Amino acid sequence: MKNLKIDWNNEFIEYQTLLYSGVNPEWFYACIRNEVLVPAYTGQGKQYFWTNDILKADKIIPIY
């Protein structure tokens, strides 16, 4: 797996953080289209994804 600039200790990973972390956007959008990533909402109008879902998604669709 590519060395990404993501703090995996965070409970939530923000959508924008993922896009700027070095993840290929095609991977990210493919995961969303295939409903591999499950969004979680903080109530502040921002969209987040569970870190565990991102790690599981990488096993199905490897990060480039």
Side-chain angles (χ1 to χ4, degrees):
M1 185 164 97
K2 185 177 179 179
N3 188 14
L4 305 173
K5 297 170 273 182
I6 295 178
D7 183 358
W8 294 110
N9 294 317
N10 284 345
E11 187 175 351
F12 295 105
I13 304 293
E14 191 172 356
Y15 174 91
Q16 232 174 352
T17 302
L18 272 175
L19 287 180
Y20 294 121
S21 69
V23 171
N24 185 319
E26 290 180 20
W27 173 89
F28 188 60
Y29 294 126
C31 287
I32 293 172
R33 272 196 310 273
N34 294 312
E35 298 180 349
V36 175
L37 293 177
V38 178
Y41 299 96
T42 63
Q44 297 176 350
K46 292 184 177 179
Q47 191 169 350
Y48 293 76
F49 294 91
W50 293 103
T51 302
N52 289 342
D53 290 328
I54 295 166
L55 294 173
K56 281 188 231 169
D58 181 54
K59 291 183 172 113
I60 299 167
I61 304 171
I63 295 173
Y64 300 99

